[in-house]
Amino acid sequence: MTRHGLQTTHRSVPSPAGRIHLAEQGTGPLVLLIHGFPESWYSWRHQLPALAAAGYRAVAIDVRGYGRSSKPAATDAYRMLDLVADNVAVVHALGEESAVVIGHDWGAGIAATSALLRPEVFRAVGLLSVPYTPPGGPRPSSAFAQMGGDEEFYVSYFQEPGRAEAEIEPDVRGWLAGFYAALSADTMPAAGAPDPHFVSRGGTLRDRFPSGRTPGWLGERDLDFYAAEFERTGLTGALNRYRNMDRDWEDLAAFEGAPLTQPSVFIGGGMDASTTWLAEAIDAYPVTLPGLVASHILDGCGHWIQQERPAQVNRILTDWLAALPR
């Protein structure tokens, strides 16, 4: 695959998962890109050529459970500690000692935890859509169970193995199109409409997705790519990330309240619930992200930030990277 005249190289490298598939462009300091749910290395298709053109070795992975990376069978093989170990293995397999790590959605949490646990490997961290919140606080399953009143928060809905899969897998392409539309600025439900982050008792997430509306950033070829990946792999590996939140809470207890001290950048969407619900986490950045270089909220932008606003995100990231000590 080529974009903007640059060749994207695909290969797999060994990791504790078995193998991690990656897409790579460019030469220079390593920048590792971590996607979220339900996505792919392909979510960084606009960033790979931009970072390569700016003088970086840009590498976007398929997180374990996704795409062409290994998909361990055990649910507890998707805990945060294992994903951090995968990222370290990728850096070393590429012949590097350190990297800048940038993540979106769940990838932001994976990137932040990688930087927290292995600061000697991850020298700077970029977070898209989901703000940094230090480990600690109430047990996640208990906190999410209290949200929504008579409705069920989507994270709770995802907990039971097989339940969400039964909704999604009979029509992967249609479900993905609806999920992407529900969280995109130009197609999300109007204010006051039923919130697509919640499920009515006995209902499904899809009940609240916009019907027949496609986000401007999502071309038919893009949707075809995502759908083909999940039609091949199923959704269990991806959903297992949500099924390890209590394990992560236990695993990371020793890091309760710990700040991320490396140079960092945050980019959020002004219309993204991940940003607005966690406004207090952003306000706490002077304490939790003492190395923060810049925090950007993109007006009128939804959740799929690097795909909705690729040029703006690329400019922010390349400016931030250029200011980092090499």
Side-chain angles (χ1 to χ4, degrees), residues 88-120:
V88 172
V90 169
V91 172
H92 292 160
L94 292 172
E96 304 284 356
E97 294 183 358
S98 68
V100 175
V101 62
I102 300 173
H104 168 256
D105 182 75
W106 259 123
I110 298 168
T113 310
S114 297
L116 182 65
L117 270 59
R118 299 298 301 270
E120 79 285 6

Side-chain angles (χ1 to χ4, degrees), residues 146-272:
Q146 295 173 12
M147 297 177 63
D150 291 336
E151 299 177 337
E152 187 177 17
F153 192 47
Y154 78 100
V155 177
S156 299
Y157 178 73
F158 284 167
Q159 292 304 307
E160 181 185 341
R163 185 184 179 198
E165 289 93 327
E167 173 186 344
I168 302 168
E169 291 181 355
D171 177 21
V172 169
R173 193 178 194 276
W175 193 91
L176 290 174
F179 190 75
Y180 295 147
L183 305 185
S184 297
D186 56 344
T187 49
M188 64 176 54
D195 191 332
H197 295 88
F198 293 87
V199 179
S200 301
R201 296 297 174 183
T204 65
L205 274 173
R206 188 172 188 158
D207 296 340
R208 299 185 175 187
F209 291 168
S211 178
R213 303 175 65 195
T214 302
W217 63 266
L218 184 69
E220 288 296 312
R221 289 179 60 186
D222 303 323
L223 182 56
D224 286 345
F225 182 90
Y226 286 122
E229 292 290 272
F230 288 107
E231 285 166 355
R232 185 180 70 251
T233 64
L235 270 292
T236 297
L239 289 163
N240 278 345
R241 174 80 290 273
Y242 291 91
R243 295 165 184 161
N244 279 277
M245 297 181 76
D246 281 354
R247 291 187 184 93
D248 297 338
W249 182 76
E250 295 167 356
D251 289 342
L252 300 173
F255 293 88
E256 182 171 0
L260 272 183
T261 59
Q262 294 97 317
S264 58
V265 67
F266 174 73
I267 314 173
M271 298 176 67
D272 182 8

Side-chain angles (χ1 to χ4, degrees), residues 79-97:
R79 64 209 308 157
M80 195 65 82
L81 293 180
D82 292 324
L83 302 177
V84 171
D86 286 341
N87 287 348
V88 172
V90 169
V91 172
H92 292 160
L94 292 172
E96 304 284 356
E97 294 183 358

Side-chain angles (χ1 to χ4, degrees), residues 52-64:
Y56 298 94
R57 185 183 189 184
V59 173
I61 68 168
D62 281 333
V63 173
R64 68 164 68 190

